[in-house]
Amino acid sequence: MGDKTMTAEEVVSRLASGMTLGIGGWGSRRKPMALVRALLRSDIGDLTVVSYGGPDVGMLAAAGRIRKLVTAFVTLDSIPLEPHYRAARERGGFALTEVDEGMFQCGLRAAAQRLPFLPVRAGLGSDVMRVDPDLRTVTSPYADGETLVAMPALRLDAALVHVNRADRLGNGQYLGPDPYFDDLFCEAADAAYVSCERIVDTAELAKVAAPQSLLLKRLTVTGVVEAPNGAHFTSCAPEYGRDEEFQRRYATTPWPEFAARFLGADEAAYRAAVRGWRKEEER
Amino acid sequence: MTATRAEYCVIACAEAWRDAGEILASPMGLIPSVGARLARLTFAPDLLLTDGEAMIVDAEGTAEGWLPYRQHLAFVTGGRRHVMMGAGQIDRYGNQNISCIGDWERPKRQLLGVRGAPVNTLNNPTSYWVPKHSRRVFVEKVDMVCGVGYDHAAGARHHRIPRVVSDLGVFDFATPDHSMRLASLHPGVTVEQVTQATGFALTIPSEVPCTREPTPQELKLIREVLDPAGARAREVAV
């Protein structure tokens, strides 16, 4: 049982242009933003990103790193429409596979189970079938004979997720009200990288919260990064809520200006830039 | 005590859950949320409500259960739910669009994406709420079918669109070809106002009823318990 701790930079060094990358969380909730920021500091691009999209998608799209996006939505939650994602879509910045929220979950589940597809009722009659001509249907071999969508597996080269606690072996724990789909992202991926608010001894995990909070199993986790405030500016309940003011700043600032000011040499530079911005705001 | 337009809208939304029984009400938007909670406190006491995140809560907000997104999505497919979604566009057969305006390949305006509209409409009753009734929303043909309408549903066994509520009235699909029909007008609205603001020909019955009056108890609940700050007036003015 190896120590899997590494830095965000080491995670990025294991990624490559052209990969299919799953990003956990949901909208502007518990996104692995420190890992996304590290990715933005690299020159990795040409990515196929699979995400219930939030600012992770907005930033990667704005920076031109996405070749193809697989999603059901992109939102900042309190700001319904993600402005940088919108701008990228409206200038035809990347290819899109747009599926329903339930189809998306089915695709991850199929990948986790090493199945080529899973049948799902969602999608029939809607334009998700029109805009993705590769989607096929499957007919029940039983008496009902129902025709369903055969949602293809969303197999990932790598997954990035953020949780509240993890040990050095890759056991991960969420402490908020919703696990989202982070375990599925890890199970659907060839390699999974977990950032966390705090790395603790294994024995601490079961003391912190009930056993059902132990979401990620080490056999699906490749690397563990300690990244306090690593979901900022998205929420990471119960430790912090969304930084609404900073999110507004992100949403209203032209991308080059935002990137120049906040995406410095490393995560410490990001935190210092956010602190500097906050002082300015308080004045 | 005269009811405001926003309050008629609350009543019209609440009515979507009448006699729904012990199912999950999933209202999206403020007025549908007030409506669902009003229904829960009055004529639909068995409804389940969520806090919009992962908890199932009673009308006072006390948690009674857990429903994270993964389970919510599974729950949708079981059908014990009536959702009221928003709509960027909606057409005469109830096709709804929240994905984008213009050509999907290169949209003029990117909106949210299809979200759960396909899974909702094929699995459980789906109603819609439109706070500003206009020809931009009520269109001849939506640019991207997210929520499935009657002409696209091919008789899918769990497909049903009980109602569309707007700031002008209530609409349903109780016509031979399941095209949209004016079911009631909010007091003070004329048939002409509705047809002017709708981009396709609606079926207009010879006599159009008014949306019902709220009871004094309902008005008191809306004004004193459910929305004392009057946020509903920001979604629907007048």
CSV table of all heavy atoms in Angstrom, one decimal, chain A residues 25 55 60 65 75 85 87 89 98 101 115 117 126 137-138 146 168 176 199 206 223 260 281:
chain,number,residue,atom,x,y,z
A,25,GLY,N,-17.8,16.9,-8.9
A,25,GLY,CA,-18.6,18.0,-8.4
A,25,GLY,C,-19.9,18.2,-9.3
A,25,GLY,O,-20.2,17.3,-10.1
A,55,PRO,N,-17.7,26.3,-13.3
A,55,PRO,CA,-16.6,27.2,-13.7
A,55,PRO,C,-15.4,26.4,-14.1
A,55,PRO,O,-14.5,27.0,-14.8
A,55,PRO,CB,-16.3,28.0,-12.4
A,55,PRO,CG,-16.9,27.2,-11.3
A,55,PRO,CD,-18.1,26.5,-11.8
A,60,LEU,N,-11.7,26.3,-18.6
A,60,LEU,CA,-11.0,25.5,-19.6
A,60,LEU,C,-11.4,25.9,-21.0
A,60,LEU,O,-10.6,26.0,-21.9
A,60,LEU,CB,-11.2,24.0,-19.3
A,60,LEU,CG,-10.5,23.5,-18.1
A,60,LEU,CD1,-11.0,22.1,-17.8
A,60,LEU,CD2,-9.0,23.5,-18.2
A,65,ARG,N,-8.8,25.2,-24.0
A,65,ARG,CA,-8.2,23.9,-23.8
A,65,ARG,C,-9.1,22.7,-24.2
A,65,ARG,O,-8.7,21.6,-24.1
A,65,ARG,CB,-7.8,23.7,-22.3
A,65,ARG,CG,-7.0,24.8,-21.7
A,65,ARG,CD,-5.7,25.0,-22.5
A,65,ARG,NE,-4.9,26.1,-21.9
A,65,ARG,CZ,-4.0,25.9,-20.9
A,65,ARG,NH1,-3.8,24.7,-20.4
A,65,ARG,NH2,-3.4,26.9,-20.4
A,75,THR,N,-23.3,25.7,-15.5
A,75,THR,CA,-24.0,26.8,-14.7
A,75,THR,C,-23.1,27.1,-13.6
A,75,THR,O,-22.3,26.3,-13.1
A,75,THR,CB,-25.4,26.3,-14.2
A,75,THR,OG1,-25.9,27.4,-13.5
A,75,THR,CG2,-25.3,25.1,-13.3
A,85,TYR,N,-18.3,30.1,-20.7
A,85,TYR,CA,-18.7,28.9,-21.5
A,85,TYR,C,-19.6,29.4,-22.6
A,85,TYR,O,-19.5,29.0,-23.8
A,85,TYR,CB,-19.5,28.0,-20.6
A,85,TYR,CG,-20.3,26.9,-21.3
A,85,TYR,CD1,-19.7,25.9,-22.1
A,85,TYR,CD2,-21.7,27.0,-21.3
A,85,TYR,CE1,-20.4,25.0,-22.8
A,85,TYR,CE2,-22.4,26.1,-22.1
A,85,TYR,CZ,-21.8,25.1,-22.8
A,85,TYR,OH,-22.5,24.2,-23.5
A,87,ALA,N,-19.7,32.3,-24.1
A,87,ALA,CA,-18.9,33.0,-25.1
A,87,ALA,C,-18.2,32.0,-26.0
A,87,ALA,O,-18.2,32.2,-27.2
A,87,ALA,CB,-18.0,34.0,-24.4
A,89,ARG,N,-19.0,28.9,-26.6
A,89,ARG,CA,-20.0,28.2,-27.4
A,89,ARG,C,-20.5,29.1,-28.6
A,89,ARG,O,-20.6,28.6,-29.7
A,89,ARG,CB,-21.2,27.8,-26.6
A,89,ARG,CG,-21.2,26.4,-26.1
A,89,ARG,CD,-21.5,25.4,-27.1
A,89,ARG,NE,-22.9,25.2,-27.3
A,89,ARG,CZ,-23.4,24.6,-28.4
A,89,ARG,NH1,-22.6,24.2,-29.4
A,89,ARG,NH2,-24.7,24.5,-28.6
A,98,GLU,N,-24.1,16.9,-26.1
A,98,GLU,CA,-25.0,17.4,-25.1
A,98,GLU,C,-26.0,16.3,-24.7
A,98,GLU,O,-26.8,15.9,-25.6
A,98,GLU,CB,-25.8,18.6,-25.6
A,98,GLU,CG,-26.7,19.2,-24.5
A,98,GLU,CD,-27.2,20.6,-24.9
A,98,GLU,OE1,-26.8,21.1,-26.0
A,98,GLU,OE2,-28.0,21.2,-24.2
A,101,GLU,N,-29.1,14.9,-18.0
A,101,GLU,CA,-28.4,14.6,-16.7
A,101,GLU,C,-28.4,13.1,-16.4
A,101,GLU,O,-27.4,12.6,-15.8
A,101,GLU,CB,-29.1,15.4,-15.6
A,101,GLU,CG,-28.9,16.9,-15.6
A,101,GLU,CD,-29.8,17.6,-14.6
A,101,GLU,OE1,-30.5,16.9,-13.8
A,101,GLU,OE2,-29.9,18.8,-14.7
A,115,LEU,N,-19.3,-1.8,-19.2
A,115,LEU,CA,-20.3,-2.2,-20.2
A,115,LEU,C,-20.2,-1.2,-21.4
A,115,LEU,O,-19.8,-0.1,-21.2
A,115,LEU,CB,-21.7,-2.1,-19.6
A,115,LEU,CG,-22.0,-3.1,-18.5
A,115,LEU,CD1,-23.3,-2.7,-17.8
A,115,LEU,CD2,-22.1,-4.5,-19.1
A,117,PHE,N,-22.7,0.0,-23.0
A,117,PHE,CA,-23.8,1.0,-22.9
A,117,PHE,C,-24.7,0.5,-21.8
A,117,PHE,O,-24.6,-0.6,-21.3
A,117,PHE,CB,-24.6,1.0,-24.2
A,117,PHE,CG,-25.4,-0.2,-24.5
A,117,PHE,CD1,-26.7,-0.3,-24.1
A,117,PHE,CD2,-24.8,-1.3,-25.3
A,117,PHE,CE1,-27.4,-1.5,-24.3
A,117,PHE,CE2,-25.6,-2.4,-25.5
A,117,PHE,CZ,-26.9,-2.5,-25.0
A,126,SER,N,-36.3,13.7,-27.9
A,126,SER,CA,-35.7,15.0,-27.7
A,126,SER,C,-34.6,15.2,-28.8
A,126,SER,O,-34.2,14.2,-29.4
A,126,SER,CB,-35.1,15.1,-26.3
A,126,SER,OG,-33.8,14.5,-26.3
A,137,THR,N,-30.3,3.4,-30.4
A,137,THR,CA,-31.3,2.9,-29.5
A,137,THR,C,-31.2,1.3,-29.4
A,137,THR,O,-30.4,0.7,-30.2
A,137,THR,CB,-32.7,3.2,-30.0
A,137,THR,OG1,-32.9,2.6,-31.3
A,137,THR,CG2,-33.0,4.7,-30.0
A,138,VAL,N,-31.8,0.8,-28.4
A,138,VAL,CA,-31.8,-0.7,-28.2
A,138,VAL,C,-33.2,-1.1,-27.8
A,138,VAL,O,-33.9,-0.4,-27.1
A,138,VAL,CB,-30.8,-1.0,-27.1
A,138,VAL,CG1,-31.1,-0.4,-25.7
A,138,VAL,CG2,-30.6,-2.5,-26.9
A,146,GLU,N,-40.0,-2.5,-25.5
A,146,GLU,CA,-39.8,-1.1,-25.4
A,146,GLU,C,-38.4,-0.7,-26.1
A,146,GLU,O,-37.4,-1.4,-25.9
A,146,GLU,CB,-39.8,-0.6,-24.0
A,146,GLU,CG,-39.8,0.9,-23.9
A,146,GLU,CD,-40.0,1.5,-22.5
A,146,GLU,OE1,-40.4,0.7,-21.6
A,146,GLU,OE2,-39.9,2.7,-22.3
A,168,ARG,N,-3.6,9.1,3.0
A,168,ARG,CA,-2.5,9.0,2.0
A,168,ARG,C,-2.7,7.9,1.0
A,168,ARG,O,-2.0,7.9,0.0
A,168,ARG,CB,-1.2,8.9,2.7
A,168,ARG,CG,-0.8,10.0,3.6
A,168,ARG,CD,0.4,9.8,4.5
A,168,ARG,NE,0.7,11.1,5.1
A,168,ARG,CZ,1.5,12.0,4.4
A,168,ARG,NH1,2.0,11.8,3.3
A,168,ARG,NH2,1.7,13.2,5.0
A,176,GLY,N,-20.2,16.9,3.3
A,176,GLY,CA,-21.4,17.7,3.0
A,176,GLY,C,-22.7,16.9,2.8
A,176,GLY,O,-22.6,15.7,3.0
A,199,ILE,N,-5.5,16.1,4.5
A,199,ILE,CA,-5.1,14.7,4.6
A,199,ILE,C,-5.0,14.3,6.0
A,199,ILE,O,-4.5,15.0,6.8
A,199,ILE,CB,-3.8,14.4,3.9
A,199,ILE,CG1,-3.9,14.6,2.3
A,199,ILE,CG2,-3.2,13.0,4.2
A,199,ILE,CD1,-2.6,14.5,1.6
A,206,ALA,N,-13.0,7.3,10.0
A,206,ALA,CA,-14.2,6.8,10.5
A,206,ALA,C,-14.6,7.5,11.8
A,206,ALA,O,-15.7,7.4,12.3
A,206,ALA,CB,-14.1,5.3,10.8
A,223,GLY,N,-3.8,9.3,-7.1
A,223,GLY,CA,-3.0,10.3,-6.4
A,223,GLY,C,-3.9,11.1,-5.5
A,223,GLY,O,-5.1,11.3,-5.7
A,260,ALA,N,-4.8,36.8,-16.0
A,260,ALA,CA,-3.5,37.5,-15.8
A,260,ALA,C,-3.4,37.8,-14.3
A,260,ALA,O,-2.4,37.7,-13.7
A,260,ALA,CB,-3.4,38.7,-16.6
A,281,GLU,N,-11.6,45.3,-2.2
A,281,GLU,CA,-13.0,45.4,-2.2
A,281,GLU,C,-13.5,46.0,-0.9
A,281,GLU,O,-14.5,46.6,-0.8
A,281,GLU,CB,-13.7,44.0,-2.3
A,281,GLU,CG,-13.5,43.4,-3.7
A,281,GLU,CD,-14.2,44.2,-4.8
A,281,GLU,OE1,-15.5,44.3,-4.7
A,281,GLU,OE2,-13.5,44.8,-5.6
